[in-house]
Amino acid sequence: GVSRARRTAAVVLACAGIATATVAAAGCGGADGTPASTRADGAPLYDPDHNVVNLPPGSRFAIQMPDPGEGREWQLHSEQEISGLSLKGMENPSGGGIWAFETTEPGNGVLQFRLAPVGTEDFIESVDYEVNIT
């Protein structure tokens, strides 16, 4: 439920603060680029506990955000455009859902998802995904 999502986001943010671009902090699940699972089409699936994406160009991957709770939704905010990355679509976009991406060329950056009341951008929490396309 909501409490788990809050706890997870706090862990992710704490880990992001400790880890550098090259060194993954010990104890942060998925900080080594391991996906949460693999989808039926073979694409790796990431979640707030598995928030580092290391893939070659030409790969597809997806991010699954947890149920945001009544009257709230996850919004995708990227601080900068990540070259070589394009959003291909969403499934089950009930505020959470699965966001599908495709990599086309080398690049890196951060995908930030923000949880906000529907129709606003006053976010309550955020989850960062580090994306490295090499």
Side-chain angles (χ1 to χ4, degrees):
V2 173
S3 61
R4 183 182 183 280
R6 271 212 188 98
R7 184 179 55 74
T8 299
V11 169
V12 168
L13 294 175
C15 289
I18 297 165
T20 65
T22 52
V23 180
C28 292
D32 59 356
T34 305
S37 62
T38 303
R39 306 189 64 196
D41 65 2
L45 181 67
Y46 298 85
D47 64 18
D49 290 324
H50 301 80
N51 65 328
V52 176
V53 179
N54 298 320
L55 291 171
S59 303
R60 290 177 176 269
F61 71 94
I63 291 176
Q64 179 157 17
M65 296 306 292
D67 183 336
E70 193 66 37
R72 301 190 296 191
E73 64 184 353
W74 287 102
Q75 302 169 353
L76 176 59
H77 285 260
S78 284
E79 299 305 312
Q80 78 259 15
E81 193 67 28
I82 300 175
S83 66
L85 183 67
S86 63
L87 177 63
K88 287 298 176 188
M90 283 184 66
E91 299 170 28
N92 309 322
S94 58
I98 297 173
W99 306 62
F101 296 90
E102 185 173 13
T103 64
T104 56
E105 62 184 50
N108 60 33
V110 173
L111 289 173
Q112 183 177 82
F113 287 82
R114 293 177 176 175
L115 181 63
V118 173
T120 76
E121 292 191 7
D122 300 329
F123 67 99
I124 302 159
E125 66 184 62
S126 63
V127 179
D128 289 345
Y129 289 83
E130 179 188 322
V131 179
N132 303 297
I133 308 164
T134 54

